[in-house]
Amino acid sequence: ASSEPGNFSRAMLAVSCKLRALLLPSSSVVFFWAAAHAAGNSAAALTGLVLGVATACAIGWFIYRSSRRVSLQRLFSVTGIMLIFVAAGVLSYAIAEWQEVALLPGADAVVLDVSRWLPEGSVLGVLASGLFNLHAKTTAFQVVAYVAYLAVVLPAFLRTHSPAAAPSQPQHVSA
């Protein structure tokens, strides 16, 4: 029974995980060493390292403790919904770029201007742009594409991830 292909795959996965667990810290040490020497302030770099490792350990412990109670189906459903909004933002951003180089019309048809609250280059503006692809000036074409994408993709995703669509018994996949 130990010579089955499934057992070999599991063993190789375990070996791969152990090697990765050994290699990642060593590359982090080399990176930290180079950054500390480039900064010139070894005490500040060491303090940052210790605080960073302590924070990472605390976050890892918190994720471990809270993940034991999390439903994976719910987690991936929520993550999927968030990714759909990100994808709609990427589409909106692509349209803005195409409008900027005059490949699409409507660059002057701005319908949403939040530059007063989200100045370009400000911390809040950069966060809104980086996380949600929300820019200070949004054109009508961008809004229509964003809403249309959500109107088509979100219901399709929710239909396939509703409790009624979930199988009543676990599905087993043979190797």
Side-chain angles (χ1 to χ4, degrees):
S2 64
S3 63
E4 292 179 19
N7 288 338
F8 178 75
S9 296
R10 284 188 211 106
M12 290 310 296
L13 178 63
V15 168
S16 173
C17 289
K18 292 292 183 184
L19 286 175
R20 184 170 306 279
L22 291 172
L23 292 176
L24 280 176
S26 61
S27 64
S28 297
V29 167
V30 170
F31 177 75
F32 169 73
W33 184 260
H37 281 287
N41 188 349
S42 297
L46 183 60
T47 303
L49 172 72
V50 170
L51 290 174
V53 168
T55 303
C57 289
I59 290 171
W61 177 82
F62 176 74
I63 289 172
Y64 168 73
R65 293 289 295 174
S66 60
S67 69
R68 297 188 322 181
R69 297 182 300 254
V70 172
S71 161
L72 290 179
Q73 180 180 4
R74 183 164 174 82
L75 172 73
F76 287 116
S77 292
V78 169
T79 305
I81 291 168
M82 291 169 57
L83 286 174
I84 289 169
F85 278 92
V86 169
V90 169
L91 174 63
S92 174
Y93 178 76
I95 288 172
E97 291 296 314
W98 291 335
Q99 286 177 328
E100 189 175 306
V101 295
L103 290 176
L104 286 177
D108 296 328
V110 175
V111 293
L112 179 64
D113 185 359
V114 292
S115 57
R116 172 182 281 160
W117 302 284
L118 290 175
E120 212 167 302
S122 70
V123 173
L124 190 57
V126 169
L127 283 174
S129 173
L131 294 176
F132 306 110
N133 278 317
L134 175 65
H135 298 281
K137 294 182 180 180
T138 305
T139 65
F141 197 171
Q142 288 176 275
V143 171
V144 168
Y146 189 92
V147 171
Y149 183 87
L150 290 179
V152 171
V153 176
L154 197 56
F157 179 81
L158 292 174
R159 217 176 4 260
T160 61
H161 286 81
S162 68
S168 59
Q169 292 185 2
Q171 301 292 321
H172 297 289
V173 178
S174 60

